[in-house]
Amino acid sequence: VQLQASGGGLVQPGGSLRLSCAASGRTFSNYALGWFRQAPGKGREFVAAISWTEGVTYYAPSLKGQFTISRDNAKSSVYLQMNSLTPDDTGVYYCAALLMVVPGTITWNPERWHYWGQGTQVTVSS
């Protein structure tokens, strides 16, 4: 399985970025694909996820409304639209995949996600 994240970069506070994750190597039915982020010196934090088949979305409560996750099954890709960015959003953003053992149920615990991409750096600074 390969999860290729892209789209990170340097953006000014208040700006927007759209991250992409290209998924390959298996079929992702019964999987959720999601995003985590890791700020310098901190642990990996759940951001958002989407079920591959149904398109149900899940968000960290503090980020709902600011970030939007979507998918394009034809392109086997997941996207994260990030708006109104602040320096607190700085970090490495990782794409990950989780087999939903119980349909419709995800975990925010990164240790339980099954596949990971290499991460893309997002820096919010003036």
Side-chain angles (χ1 to χ4, degrees), residues 47-114:
V47 173
I50 187 166
S51 62
W52 189 252
T53 303
E54 296 82 9
V56 177
T57 57
Y58 310 81
Y59 292 95
S62 62
L63 298 174
K64 191 172 185 178
Q66 181 189 2
F67 290 3
T68 302
I69 191 169
S70 61
R71 80 198 193 297
D72 185 333
N73 290 35
K75 295 183 178 180
S76 198
S77 293
V78 175
Y79 307 99
L80 186 69
Q81 178 66 41
M82 306 187 295
N83 298 325
S84 303
L85 289 165
T86 74
D88 287 342
D89 296 312
T90 294
V92 179
Y93 283 69
Y94 296 92
C95 181
L98 169 74
L99 174 62
M100 295 189 293
V101 177
V102 177
T105 301
I106 69 163
T107 174
W108 294 2
N109 183 348
E111 295 182 4
R112 295 178 59 186
W113 285 63
H114 298 90

Side-chain angles (χ1 to χ4, degrees), residues 1-31:
V1 172
Q2 285 193 328
L3 301 172
Q4 185 71 37
S6 62
L10 174 64
V11 62
Q12 292 187 342
S16 298
L17 276 178
R18 186 188 192 219
L19 305 184
S20 299
C21 175
S24 62
R26 65 163 301 124
T27 56
F28 289 98
S29 54
N30 300 321
Y31 275 78

